[in-house]
């Protein structure tokens, strides 16, 4: 028997996945297809999307493919990371001398030599790969594979997740998965719901604008855009509270940033960055320190800022909704040189504070001096 198997996170499953599987079914003509969603991919962080929902999205995405498809929960039953060679061993046990075909996209194809026991994979299965527009296989791969003739859509799960984060809705690229995404408020749609309910409309729109620029800057600076976009969505959650509310919140949860006593007396609104980080952790279960730190530092900055810190620090005052003099120039600079933009941003914040006749927090000066020195 010819058995085709297709594993992946399917987080979410989309029309690109469906096009790849349809092309493979058409060209290979397998007797059966095993679609095997990952419980925990060996090459990715554990998905926040429950396995059952990712399986459901796969079923929706592949329902019109003319093939005998078995939606296999093999990995879910194991409840641990599963490698491709283990899937091959599993299929060899349930079929009598099957001819196995392993379906992958071009991105995965390039990584197979670094997978666990690649020689076993090549010996016991034929690797079948699709070509995604804009993504090519490496010129010289150390193994043979079967390339599908079909050209596939230029789309990825990470791209869809990013679109949902920034736009607050599941767009057309999500395809059949959109219904499940919307129903269960996946990919932080629940965060958008919270922001709409707790922030003023202009503040929510600002948050979305910052998220869009943060994602763009992250891509340019080779850091994860989803992480940057999420930190931007969270950065002003503390703005849901008044100055009095911020003081009460900080007291209740023992939040004491640098220069806390001075901030408390002169500018309690500056507490919103630290409160936002706490809300991200407690309300939305964020444990990623890179995100939490970026949120905490987005107003006053700090010495030793990470790329994520600088992305959000700059995006917050250079987003497209900002209309003050210099915002466009800063945004244009950030797209070319993030480090230089961070220096300019720190200076702009100090000058703005002075011009407004407001108290100048020493932390802002520390950030300026550190960035300038670097």
């Amino acid at each position: 028997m010819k058995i085709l198997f297709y594993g992946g996170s399917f987080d979410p499953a989309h029309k690109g996945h469906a096009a790849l599987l349809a092309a493979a079914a058409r060209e290979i003509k397998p007797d059966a297809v095993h679609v095997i969603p990952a419980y925990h991919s060996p090459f990715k962080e554990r998905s926040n999307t429950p396995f059952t929902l990712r399986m459901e999205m796969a079923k929706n995405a592949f329902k019109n493919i003319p093939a005998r498809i078995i939606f296999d929960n093999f990995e879910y039953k194991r409840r641990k990371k599963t490698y491709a060679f283990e899937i091959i061993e599993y299929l060899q046990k349930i079929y009598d001398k099957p001819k196995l075909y392993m379906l992958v996209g071009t991105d995965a194809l390039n990584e197979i030599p670094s997978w666990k026991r690649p020689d076993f994979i090549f010996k016991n299965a034929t690797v079948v790969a699709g070509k995604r527009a804009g993504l090519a296989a490496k010129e010289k791969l150390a193994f043979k594979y079967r390339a599908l003739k079909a050209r596939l859509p230029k789309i990825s799960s990470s791209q869809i997740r990013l679109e949902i984060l920034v736009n607050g809705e599941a767009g057309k690229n999500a395809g059949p998965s959109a219904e499940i995404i919307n129903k269960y408020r996946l990919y932080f749609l629940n965060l958008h719901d919270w922001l709409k309910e707790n922030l003023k409309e202009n503040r929510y729109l600002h948050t979305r604008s910052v998220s869009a620029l943060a994602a763009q800057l992250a891509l340019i600076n080779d850091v994860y855009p989803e992480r940057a976009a999420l930190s931007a969505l969270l950065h002003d959650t503390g703005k849901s509270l008044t100055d009095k509310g911020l003081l009460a919140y900080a007291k209740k949860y023992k939040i004491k940033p640098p220069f806390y006593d001075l901030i408390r007396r002169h500018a309690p609104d500056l507490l919103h960055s630290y409160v936002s980080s706490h809300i991200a952790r407690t309300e939305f279960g964020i444990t990623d320190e890179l995100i939490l730190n970026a949120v905490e530092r987005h107003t006053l900055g700090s010495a030793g800022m990470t790329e994520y810190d600088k992305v959000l620090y700059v995006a917050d005052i250079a987003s497209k909704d900002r209309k003050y003099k210099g915002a466009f120039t800063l945004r244009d600079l950030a797209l070319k040189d993030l480090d230089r933009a961070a220096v300019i941003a720190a200076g702009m914040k100090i000058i703005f504070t002075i011009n407004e006749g407001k108290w100048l927090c020493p932390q802002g000066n520390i950030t300026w001096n550190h960035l300038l020195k670097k």
Side-chain angles (χ1 to χ4, degrees), residues 104 219 234 249:
V104 297
L219 284 167
L234 293 160
Y249 192 104

Side-chain angles (χ1 to χ4, degrees), residues 37-294:
Y39 177 73
H40 183 181
S41 170
F43 312 104
K44 299 177 183 178
E45 294 182 1
R46 178 80 177 273
S47 173
N48 291 320
T49 311
F51 176 92
T52 52
L53 294 182
R54 288 187 287 113
M55 174 68 89
E56 196 63 32
M57 286 190 281
K59 289 179 179 179
N60 281 357
F62 305 148
K63 63 184 177 183
N64 294 322
I65 293 175
R68 181 189 168 217
I69 299 181
I70 299 167
F71 292 95
D72 197 326
N73 64 354
F74 169 66
E75 291 202 28
Y76 180 72
K77 289 186 290 187
R78 299 184 84 227
R79 301 295 181 101
K80 61 181 181 180
K81 290 181 180 180
T82 299
Y83 298 90
F85 83 88
E86 293 174 311
I87 294 176
I88 291 172
E89 290 178 332
Y90 156 68
L91 293 172
Q92 286 175 330
K93 289 178 182 178
I94 63 174
Y95 291 102
D96 183 21
K97 298 180 180 179
K99 183 169 178 55
L100 298 177
Y101 296 84
M102 181 177 76
L103 181 60
V104 297
T106 307
D107 46 356
L109 176 70
N110 293 329
E111 302 301 326
I112 292 177
S114 66
W115 290 8
K116 200 165 186 177
R117 297 186 65 184
D119 290 343
F120 180 89
I121 296 172
F122 305 142
K123 181 179 179 180
N124 291 276
T126 299
V127 176
V128 180
K131 297 178 180 179
R132 195 168 81 207
L135 192 63
K138 293 178 180 177
E139 290 185 8
K140 293 183 179 180
L141 289 170
F143 62 92
K144 293 182 179 179
Y145 67 96
R146 178 166 175 174
L148 297 173
K149 298 175 183 178
R151 293 288 289 176
L152 304 170
K154 187 179 179 180
I155 187 173
S156 66
S157 294
S158 59
Q159 175 190 341
I160 292 172
R161 293 194 302 269
L162 184 60
E163 288 175 355
I164 294 171
L165 267 175
V166 172
N167 299 324
E169 60 181 3
K172 63 180 182 180
N173 283 334
S177 294
E179 181 180 352
I180 292 172
I181 293 169
N182 288 326
K183 179 179 179 181
Y184 292 97
R185 313 309 288 162
L186 301 178
Y187 310 120
F188 292 100
L189 284 179
N190 62 321
L191 173 54
H192 279 274
D193 295 339
W194 189 96
L195 293 171
K196 290 176 185 177
E197 183 177 345
N198 290 278
L199 298 183
K200 293 180 180 179
E201 184 179 8
N202 64 338
R203 179 61 56 182
Y204 171 62
L205 293 177
H206 165 70
T207 297
R208 282 185 51 180
S209 185
V210 175
S211 185
L213 180 56
Q216 190 177 7
L217 294 177
L219 284 167
I220 293 171
N221 290 279
D222 200 28
V223 293
Y224 290 111
E226 286 181 69
R227 181 179 277 138
L230 180 55
S231 67
L233 285 181
L234 293 160
H235 85 283
D236 270 353
T237 51
K239 289 282 189 178
S240 60
L241 301 173
T242 62
D243 285 0
K244 185 177 180 180
L246 287 169
L247 289 168
Y249 192 104
K251 182 178 180 180
K252 179 178 179 180
Y253 294 105
K254 298 181 173 59
I255 299 172
K256 289 190 175 183
F259 308 104
Y260 170 70
D261 288 334
L262 290 172
I263 291 173
R264 181 171 57 85
R265 290 200 303 271
H266 299 293
D269 59 300
L270 293 178
L271 289 171
H272 85 271
S273 297
Y274 305 96
V275 169
S276 293
S277 183
H278 190 272
I279 290 174
R281 187 188 295 275
T282 56
E283 183 76 21
F284 298 103
I286 304 299
T287 58
D288 188 330
E289 293 297 328
L290 288 170
I291 292 175
L292 296 172
N293 288 339

